[in-house]
């Protein structure tokens, strides 16, 4: 039995995600799909539009067989930590054979060559990187400049789109770990990652979130079916869940910033190079989340880094170093996934958590789980009362189990 691993956010699950699963299975002849999915918050420093259990159900309805959670410590990180944490967790399952990922640029051999440079960091690359950083460029821009010296500016511009950047990080960590999985590259289909316009079939997750967050125009089931697979559209239409955005956390964030001392702020993840002084100054005048982001942005600090920094403030995330995976948290499975779970219990190199209340105190006290717990509780607080849990979500909600769709 061969299994594909996919690193995902599914924010929310759409036609492009279904295409990736279908093509990955077709290209490899694999039997099942295991996805490691971001939980309450995602890599760009935003909350997921729907909670992790609903997004798990959507994934299982449309092709995934087993969903495990990518801890917040990795999920809300730079592409490097995001890729490393997800890949090392998938490795710990002991049952993944392929790693499938999407990319705007679909030359796998060329991407692999670039990834080798990023892994080995030869002297000429380090020198160019250092020189570019010394000019005040952000790290992503400095890295692209350094790579351009070897591969040419035109190619590096091509691989500097969102999905291709992550693809390079996945390949880098596969190289670092001596290729534990075979890479499967699926060319991204449809509109660009940041395209905010809804299209007839392959709309970006950005456009779909924008449409779902537009409270002035209710979304019909027919329109939902243009945005996502039919089973998902039916589920969203029937439940009409509250779509969460960063604006729901605006008051809590502004309050947190006004109550933190300079020392406390300097301990927050992503806060470095004296940026805490700028944050504290902004906190005295900012009235909105956008005020904070726009005030923090600067040529050395990307907007995404600003967003993650602010989210880390909200979560009181103070662990700046990389924490290795400590467990495998199961969010849901179908009938095939149940078989995968049985195999994983025999082969996994880490403890598996299916029911949090039954997990050991050692796992529940780990920094990884404590941060996930805090994130779930915070997320739950902004939901309408009728959608909130009567207690802590991670301890109350059980894994999603559905009948196989295929």
């Amino acid at each position: 039995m061969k299994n594909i691993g996919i690193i995902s956010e599914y924010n929310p699950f759409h036609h492009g995600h279904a295409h990736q699963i279908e093509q990955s299975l077709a290209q490899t002849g694999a039997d099942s799909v295991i996805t490691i999915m971001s939980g309450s918050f995602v890599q760009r420093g935003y909350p997921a539009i729907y909670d992790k259990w609903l997004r798990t159900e959507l994934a299982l309805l449309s092709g995934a067989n087993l969903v495990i959670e990518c801890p917040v410590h990795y999920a809300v990180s730079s592409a490097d930590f995001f890729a490393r944490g997800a890949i090392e967790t998938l490795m710990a399952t002991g049952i993944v054979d392929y790693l499938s990922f999407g990319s705007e640029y679909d030359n796998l051999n060329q991407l692999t060559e670039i990834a080798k440079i990023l892994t080995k960091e030869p002297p000429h690359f380090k020198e160019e990187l250092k020189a570019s950083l010394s000019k005040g460029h952000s790290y992503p821009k400095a890295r692209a400049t350094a790579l351009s010296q070897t591969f040419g500016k035109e190619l590096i511009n091509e691989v500097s789109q969102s999905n291709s950047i992550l693809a390079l990080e996945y390949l880098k960590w596969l190289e670092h770990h001596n290729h534990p999985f075979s890479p499967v590259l699926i060319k991204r289909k449809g509109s660009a990652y940041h395209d905010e316009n809804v299209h007839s079939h392959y709309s970006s997750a950005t456009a779909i979130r924008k449409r779902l967050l537009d409270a002035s125009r209710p979304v019909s089931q027919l329109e939902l079916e243009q945005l996502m697979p039919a089973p998902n559209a039916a589920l969203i239409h029937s439940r009409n869940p509250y779509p969460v955005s960063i604006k729901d956390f605006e008051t809590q964030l502004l309050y947190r910033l006004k109550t933190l001392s300079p020392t406390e702020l300097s301990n927050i993840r992503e806060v470095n190079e004296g940026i805490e002084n700028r944050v504290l100054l902004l906190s005295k005048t900012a009235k909105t989340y956008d005020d904070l982001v726009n005030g923090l942005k600067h040529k050395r600090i990307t907007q995404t880094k600003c967003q993650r920094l602010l989210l880390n403030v909200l979560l009181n995330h103070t662990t700046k170093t990389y924490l290795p995976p400590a467990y495998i948290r199961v969010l849901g499975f179908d009938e095939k996934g149940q078989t995968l779970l049985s195999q994983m219990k025999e082969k996994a190199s880490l403890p598996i958590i299916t029911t949090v209340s039954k997990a050991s105190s050692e796992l529940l006290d780990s920094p990884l789980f404590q941060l996930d717990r805090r994130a779930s509780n915070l997320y739950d607080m902004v939901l309408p009362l009728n959608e909130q849990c009567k207690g802590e979500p991670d301890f109350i909600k059980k894994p999603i189990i559905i009948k196989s769709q295929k």
Side-chain angles (χ1 to χ4, degrees):
M1 190 172 186
K2 297 292 186 180
N3 306 311
I4 296 168
I6 293 178
I7 300 167
S8 66
E9 292 186 323
Y10 294 153
N11 188 33
F13 194 104
H14 55 63
H15 290 299
H17 298 132
H19 172 76
Q20 180 190 5
I21 290 175
E22 290 165 4
Q23 288 299 306
S24 300
L25 290 169
Q27 286 186 26
T28 63
D31 305 282
S32 306
V33 172
I34 302 165
T35 183
I36 177 167
M37 185 187 77
S38 301
S40 302
F41 296 90
V42 298
Q43 207 238 343
R44 297 188 68 79
Y46 286 154
I49 193 165
Y50 299 129
D51 73 38
K52 57 193 178 187
W53 292 278
L54 177 55
R55 285 167 34 247
T56 292
E57 190 168 0
L58 295 174
L60 293 172
L61 285 172
S62 295
N65 303 111
L66 175 65
V67 181
I68 60 179
E69 181 172 6
C70 184
V72 173
H73 178 66
Y74 313 134
V76 186
S77 293
S78 64
D80 178 49
F81 272 22
F82 178 84
R84 180 182 178 182
I87 284 174
E88 290 182 352
T89 304
L90 285 173
M91 286 172 60
T93 67
I95 61 170
V96 172
D97 302 286
Y98 304 95
L99 181 72
S100 168
F101 49 87
S103 174
E104 294 88 353
Y105 183 72
D106 63 347
N107 187 324
L108 180 59
N109 290 334
Q110 191 74 75
L111 287 171
T112 301
E113 289 305 308
I114 298 171
K116 286 178 180 178
I117 294 289
L118 295 176
T119 307
K120 296 173 183 175
E121 293 193 335
H124 71 272
F125 172 79
K126 283 186 176 180
E127 288 169 13
E128 292 291 344
L129 181 66
K130 185 177 179 181
S132 191
L133 287 170
S134 69
K135 294 177 183 177
H137 295 151
S138 67
Y139 182 80
K141 184 173 181 181
R143 191 175 83 161
T145 301
L147 287 170
S148 296
Q149 302 305 310
T150 302
F151 297 99
K153 190 173 181 180
E154 185 177 344
L155 173 59
I156 298 308
N157 284 340
E158 277 199 68
V159 301
S160 293
Q161 297 182 66
S162 299
N163 292 101
S164 295
I165 290 170
L166 280 174
L168 285 173
E169 293 299 330
Y170 299 150
L171 291 168
K172 183 181 86 174
W173 285 106
L174 290 181
E175 175 82 13
H176 179 84
H177 286 293
N178 197 25
H179 307 285
F181 321 127
S182 299
V184 180
L185 190 155
I186 306 297
K187 184 171 175 60
R188 181 183 170 84
K189 195 168 185 177
S191 55
Y193 182 87
H194 295 292
D195 187 348
E196 295 188 0
N197 298 309
V198 171
H199 299 276
S200 59
H201 194 68
Y202 287 103
S203 296
S204 70
T206 301
I208 295 170
R209 288 193 299 274
K210 182 180 178 182
R211 179 65 189 92
L212 293 172
L213 287 163
D214 183 359
S216 67
R217 293 189 299 135
V219 188
S220 69
Q221 184 168 339
L222 183 60
E223 186 179 357
L224 284 169
E225 288 178 3
Q226 294 180 328
L227 305 176
M228 58 186 68
N232 297 21
L235 183 63
I236 295 297
H237 187 259
S238 64
R239 292 193 193 169
N240 191 29
Y242 178 76
V244 175
S245 79
I246 193 63
K247 296 291 185 180
D248 292 301
F249 299 90
E250 197 169 60
T251 301
Q252 294 101 309
L253 176 59
L254 290 167
Y255 171 77
R256 277 275 297 155
L257 287 171
K258 290 181 185 296
T259 57
L260 285 176
S261 69
T263 301
E264 288 172 324
L265 185 57
S266 67
N267 289 329
I268 297 293
R269 192 182 194 195
E270 300 262 9
V271 175
N272 49 35
E273 300 179 348
I275 196 174
E276 65 269 19
N277 299 317
R278 193 168 177 177
V279 175
L280 287 170
L281 188 63
L282 267 174
S283 70
K284 295 175 182 177
T285 57
K287 300 297 181 187
T288 67
Y289 176 82
D290 290 340
D291 289 344
L292 290 168
V293 173
N294 292 331
L296 282 176
K297 269 191 310 185
H298 145 305
K299 68 176 182 177
R300 291 199 68 169
I301 306 171
T302 64
Q303 179 169 327
T304 300
K305 180 179 171 68
C306 293
Q307 291 165 185
R308 284 201 301 265
L309 183 157
L310 293 171
L311 181 57
N312 286 324
V313 168
L314 192 63
L315 292 169
N316 193 31
H317 188 187
T318 58
T319 307
K320 295 193 177 187
T321 55
Y322 176 82
L323 297 174
Y327 53 81
I328 300 165
R329 168 79 187 280
V330 175
L331 292 176
F333 50 88
D334 65 6
E335 290 172 11
K336 273 190 181 180
Q338 194 163 20
T339 302
L340 293 172
L341 187 54
S342 297
Q343 294 174 354
M344 203 162 70
K345 287 176 180 176
E346 294 178 3
K347 297 183 179 181
S349 59
L350 289 174
I352 299 167
I353 299 177
T354 50
T355 304
V356 169
S357 59
K358 294 180 181 178
S360 70
S361 58
E362 182 182 1
L363 291 181
L364 299 187
D365 289 340
S366 70
L368 286 178
F369 182 77
Q370 284 300 309
L371 182 61
D372 282 350
R373 178 182 187 178
R374 200 152 61 240
S376 295
N377 289 343
L378 180 66
Y379 191 97
D380 193 62
M381 285 175 61
V382 304
L383 296 175
L385 288 176
N386 66 318
E387 292 188 34
Q388 289 185 13
C389 285
K390 294 180 180 177
E392 295 194 56
D394 282 314
F395 287 83
I396 290 173
K397 294 199 174 186
K398 302 271 193 291
I400 301 297
I401 303 174
I402 68 167
K403 292 182 179 180
S404 294
Q405 300 300 299
K406 297 179 181 179

